[in-house]
Amino acid sequence: MEERIIDKDELRGVKRRRTDGEEDVVDELSSDAEQPEEAAQDYTLEFEGDDYDEDLVGLTPSQLKEELERRERLRAEAHAESEKRVAAGDEKFAAGEYAAAAEQFRDALGYEYSAGTEEKLYAAVTENYMNVRPLLERETAEEFSAADEACRARVLEAFGEQLRAERAEADARAQPLRERVSAAQAERRAPFAANRKYYLVRFLACLAALVVFAVGILVSSSYLLRTQSSVPTILTIVFGVLTFLAFVLFIYLSRKLIVAVRLCRENEKLSSTEEGAQLAGLEERIACLDLVLGTKTQEGAEEAQ
């Protein structure tokens, strides 16, 4: 076999394969047909800060490109829809149709957030900063509490003093009611709790008797075919009658217990009395004022209510 001499540069593009004791030298660079297809690779992306997106991790370059293009297309469509609704809202606002304008601006924010659109929204809600009443509805107040600081500052610049005065007035009216309603609740609490306990004890005793009688039916009936005596038959009938009576009493006590529990729960609600309902209205108003003024978080307002 003729010896072939290969220099070092040539060695970088060849591989050796041993067959039948002979050594064949195959040039990997000489034939594209023998090149293995490029193995699929996993690609990872590095994100900084809050830009991390797990959905993009592991995508190939082509997949990543398609996904980014899709997202960009969706952003463009959302922006176009938002601009469309902002334009419609501007028309309604100019015509003095503030409720319709607010609806358009709110829809626009659903497609794409914009501080400018949010400011237009609350300008429409407050009827061009002339009426703060719509802002004090619970849902709107909660929404406003999460608004941009600049937008909140613009609204509070127009209504801040008025809202703070209303907050102080409402608290002054609520304070004596809180004391009277709390005292009335405490006065009713003991009788209601005693009534609940009364029916609960009897309910549990009736339930235990019902179970015992039902077991008695099963035990006595199991002897009906084992003996000639009439005792199992008599016991089965007696336990059957007792079970029926216990079941009727169980239903009666169940209803009484439900009413007793409901009375205890109703007593803890402010709306259970006329003064309590008045206090509940004031507390709701104070909670909404706190949300708008930013003096209390939404969670704190709900706990206070």
Side-chain angles (χ1 to χ4, degrees):
M1 180 176 177
E2 186 181 28
E3 183 179 2
R4 180 182 175 188
I5 300 175
I6 305 175
D7 58 26
K8 293 181 179 180
D9 292 334
E10 202 173 354
L11 281 173
R12 288 180 298 182
V14 301
K15 69 177 179 181
R16 298 179 180 274
R17 183 176 69 244
R18 183 173 299 276
T19 57
D20 298 330
E22 296 184 353
E23 226 178 279
D24 293 336
V25 179
V26 181
D27 192 343
E28 291 181 335
L29 303 179
S30 61
S31 175
D32 293 336
E34 296 180 3
Q35 284 287 328
E37 294 184 0
E38 183 179 355
Q41 300 182 20
D42 289 335
Y43 293 85
T44 58
L45 300 175
E46 294 184 359
F47 300 92
E48 296 182 359
D50 297 333
D51 294 334
Y52 176 77
D53 190 339
E54 186 176 353
D55 293 336
L56 298 180
V57 175
L59 297 182
T60 64
S62 60
Q63 291 173 334
L64 177 61
K65 180 181 178 182
E66 290 177 1
E67 176 63 17
L68 294 178
E69 288 176 350
R70 185 186 69 84
R71 294 188 180 189
E72 185 60 31
R73 184 172 61 257
L74 291 177
R75 278 193 290 267
E77 292 174 357
H79 178 73
E81 289 293 335
S82 178
E83 289 293 312
K84 179 180 177 180
R85 283 161 175 73
V86 169
D90 288 337
E91 291 180 4
K92 297 292 185 182
F93 188 90
E97 301 176 17
Y98 298 114
E103 184 178 352
Q104 292 292 335
F105 292 137
R106 190 172 281 109
D107 288 344
L109 288 171
Y111 282 100
E112 180 184 60
Y113 174 77
S114 168
T117 304
E118 190 172 53
E119 186 170 344
K120 289 182 179 182
L121 168 62
Y122 291 107
V125 168
T126 58
E127 300 178 3
N128 201 16
Y129 303 104
M130 297 297 293
N131 181 15
V132 75
R133 295 298 106 198
L135 192 62
L136 296 180
E137 297 176 2
R138 182 74 180 196
E139 185 176 351
T140 308
E142 291 175 354
E143 184 182 57
F144 180 73
S145 67
D148 180 73
E149 288 299 323
C151 177
R152 289 177 52 80
R154 176 68 181 87
V155 174
L156 294 179
E157 181 182 357
F159 300 110
E161 291 300 323
Q162 176 185 346
L163 294 175
R164 280 186 280 271
E166 289 189 19
R167 171 67 169 79
E169 178 189 357
D171 191 60
R173 291 175 56 192
Q175 189 57 40
L177 284 176
R178 291 189 186 108
E179 296 174 359
R180 293 200 297 270
V181 170
S182 178
Q185 285 178 321
E187 184 179 352
R188 295 190 301 269
R189 189 173 292 124
F192 284 153
N195 185 53
R196 179 181 59 186
K197 182 179 179 182
Y198 175 87
Y199 285 110
L200 178 61
V201 171
R202 281 152 182 78
F203 170 82
L204 294 175
C206 180
L207 178 61
L210 181 61
V211 172
V212 170
F213 296 151
V215 171
I217 292 175
L218 295 175
V219 173
S220 59
S221 62
S222 66
Y223 286 94
L224 291 176
L225 301 177
R226 299 181 185 180
T227 178
Q228 298 295 326
S229 175
S230 62
V231 173
T233 302
I234 296 173
L235 288 177
T236 301
I237 295 173
V238 170
F239 280 125
V241 172
L242 291 175
T243 301
F244 174 76
L245 294 176
F247 179 75
V248 173
L249 183 60
F250 173 79
I251 297 299
Y252 171 78
L253 291 174
S254 298
R255 298 183 65 178
K256 288 292 186 180
L257 179 60
I258 290 173
V259 172
V261 171
R262 184 181 300 149
L263 288 174
C264 288
R265 291 180 178 176
E266 289 294 330
N267 182 55
E268 300 304 320
K269 295 180 180 179
L270 293 179
S271 58
S272 60
T273 63
E274 183 178 349
E275 281 194 333
Q278 184 180 357
L279 176 60
L282 287 171
E283 295 288 17
E284 174 67 13
R285 184 179 177 186
I286 290 171
C288 290
L289 286 165
D290 284 337
L291 287 169
V292 173
L293 291 170
T295 56
K296 189 180 295 185
T297 63
Q298 178 180 339
E299 292 77 12
E302 291 175 349
E303 291 175 1
Q305 185 182 3

